Amino acid sequence: MKPFVKAITEALRDLADADNAFKMRKYMRDKYPFLGVNKPERQEVFKHLYKQYGSSQDWFEVSKELFAMPEREFHYVAMEYVKMSKKSWDSRLPALCEQWIGEESWWDVVDFLAPQILGPYFLQFPAERDVWIQRWMNSGNFWLQRFCLVFSLGYKDKTDVVLLAKNIQVLSSSKEFFIQKAIGWALRQYARTDPDWVREFVANNALAPLSKREALKHV
């Protein structure tokens, strides 16, 4: 066990709260076990131990070890660890994100990995973007397809509207709630940069009512 992993495992288990764990598990529809450590406490422990151990260790190995643990808090720590290691990212990252979605698919992990890790990664390594986006769009896995819709949420005027429009159009007939919601989310976010483009896109494309409603919420 890596020193950081050992330290944070012991620290979070010491903070375990059975009542909180029950509530967290119910909120996540009984999909994952929890220790019951709230986000502020978890982040405080993470920051302290990352300063002590984190930056000297390989982000790939550490995060894999953390994500292999059953409790969901360790999955959150794994993702935070990857995010903090941006200067050391390499071509292993997209495949790791794909693996995590294949193993533990749910919105909490998808919606962290896509905009906070994959989005910055594809700006850093733009030549890799289209290969992975096409792979995930063709995967039939709606969580990976959600990656393709929301990875650029923070891009603002760097958003590739041609790619965004193409992905939305391919998925616009999906009956999956998380896809319809992601379409609306992506459009609503881009409307902060170019509301006219979003209005025109919504007017000229057949979108689910949920997607339309979300897209135009603040326009």
Side-chain angles (χ1 to χ4, degrees):
M1 183 177 283
K2 303 288 188 300
F4 175 85
V5 177
K6 183 176 186 297
I8 201 158
T9 299
E10 293 173 352
L12 292 183
R13 292 199 186 283
D14 285 345
L15 293 172
D17 183 307
D19 289 338
N20 274 346
F22 177 81
K23 294 173 185 175
M24 290 174 172
R25 184 162 187 158
K26 288 299 179 185
Y27 178 71
M28 296 301 288
R29 300 185 183 180
D30 289 317
K31 287 185 172 291
Y32 313 104
F34 283 83
L35 293 173
V37 181
N38 291 325
K39 183 177 180 179
E41 289 76 17
R42 187 186 78 236
Q43 290 186 323
E44 183 177 350
V45 168
F46 173 85
K47 290 176 182 178
H48 172 72
L49 293 178
Y50 188 85
K51 287 180 182 178
Q52 188 172 353
Y53 299 103
S55 58
S56 64
Q57 299 181 53
D58 178 38
W59 62 268
F60 183 80
E61 295 298 332
V62 170
S63 64
K64 275 182 59 179
E65 194 169 340
L66 286 164
F67 210 90
M69 295 183 179
E71 293 89 358
R72 200 59 162 171
E73 287 92 342
F74 294 117
H75 304 168
Y76 300 150
V77 170
M79 294 188 295
E80 290 283 359
Y81 196 97
V82 172
K83 182 180 177 181
M84 290 289 287
S85 305
K86 183 176 180 179
K87 292 181 180 179
S88 302
W89 286 350
D90 56 47
S91 59
R92 296 175 294 177
L93 191 145
L96 182 66
C97 293
E98 180 183 273
Q99 179 186 354
W100 285 350
I101 293 309
E103 293 175 354
E104 297 291 342
S105 302
W106 199 237
W107 64 265
D108 56 339
V109 164
V110 175
D111 293 355
F112 187 101
L113 290 177
Q116 298 201 47
I117 293 179
L118 287 170
Y121 179 83
F122 288 139
L123 288 179
Q124 191 172 336
F125 302 98
E128 295 191 32
R129 187 197 71 178
D130 290 353
V131 173
W132 285 102
I133 294 300
Q134 192 61 49
R135 173 186 172 94
W136 294 334
M137 287 293 291
N138 293 338
S139 68
N141 181 328
F142 70 83
W143 291 118
L144 293 175
Q145 291 169 340
R146 186 171 166 105
F147 267 174
C148 304
L149 294 168
V150 302
F151 78 90
S152 60
L153 287 178
Y155 280 17
K156 299 181 181 179
D157 58 357
K158 295 179 181 178
T159 301
D160 183 339
V161 293
V162 174
L163 179 63
L164 177 62
K166 177 184 175 183
N167 289 342
I168 291 174
Q169 288 163 345
V170 169
L171 297 171
S172 61
S173 61
S174 173
K175 304 300 182 186
E176 172 55 52
F177 168 83
F178 287 104
I179 291 295
Q180 293 183 5
K181 189 82 170 179
I183 289 171
W185 187 15
L187 291 170
R188 184 177 76 244
Q189 190 68 14
Y190 187 60
R192 299 175 185 272
T193 298
D194 192 343
D196 291 336
W197 186 92
V198 172
R199 285 193 196 96
E200 183 176 355
F201 182 85
V202 171
N204 294 326
N205 288 272
L207 301 178
L210 172 60
S211 299
K212 287 184 180 180
R213 194 162 59 247
E214 290 293 319
L216 300 175
K217 185 174 287 186
H218 301 306
V219 174

